[in-house]
Amino acid sequence: MEIQSLLKNSTKDFIQMLKDENITRFYFVYDPNNKKVKASHPQLDEIAQFLENDKRDFEEHEGLFVQLSSKFDTLLGAFVHRTNRGQA
């Protein structure tokens, strides 16, 4: 499957690309020193760049962690905004 723009893929096509690339888990983490978002896999750099430039929703989350379900074509995610000490 030829990889087209990840931002234009349907969810189904994105999941198929992950399967084709043998990616079952991936993440995006924010580096506050460089103010950059890093993807766990180079195939996902386009999404990291989008998150880095997104001023509406991303807001420098510390990390986005995603796993492809082993039973269903479903993405499972955990999104961490801040891990500062103290009350949530």
Side-chain angles (χ1 to χ4, degrees), residues 43-69:
Q43 300 92 320
L44 304 173
D45 283 343
E46 181 181 4
I47 296 172
Q49 185 69 38
F50 174 81
L51 292 171
E52 189 175 304
N53 294 322
D54 182 16
K55 304 304 180 202
R56 301 162 302 157
D57 297 322
F58 184 67
E59 298 179 17
E60 300 177 359
H61 278 65
E62 289 183 18
L64 301 138
F65 305 91
V66 184
Q67 178 173 332
L68 182 59
S69 170

Side-chain angles (χ1 to χ4, degrees), residues 17-75:
M17 183 278 298
L18 292 172
K19 288 179 171 182
D20 292 346
E21 297 290 324
N22 201 28
I23 299 173
T24 58
R25 291 182 178 174
F26 60 94
Y27 61 83
F28 302 97
V29 293
Y30 181 71
D31 177 358
N33 296 326
N34 296 322
K35 297 193 182 291
K36 299 278 185 192
V37 176
K38 180 182 177 207
S40 58
H41 298 79
Q43 300 92 320
L44 304 173
D45 283 343
E46 181 181 4
I47 296 172
Q49 185 69 38
F50 174 81
L51 292 171
E52 189 175 304
N53 294 322
D54 182 16
K55 304 304 180 202
R56 301 162 302 157
D57 297 322
F58 184 67
E59 298 179 17
E60 300 177 359
H61 278 65
E62 289 183 18
L64 301 138
F65 305 91
V66 184
Q67 178 173 332
L68 182 59
S69 170
S70 60
K71 292 184 180 183
F72 307 101
D73 285 347
T74 304
L75 295 172

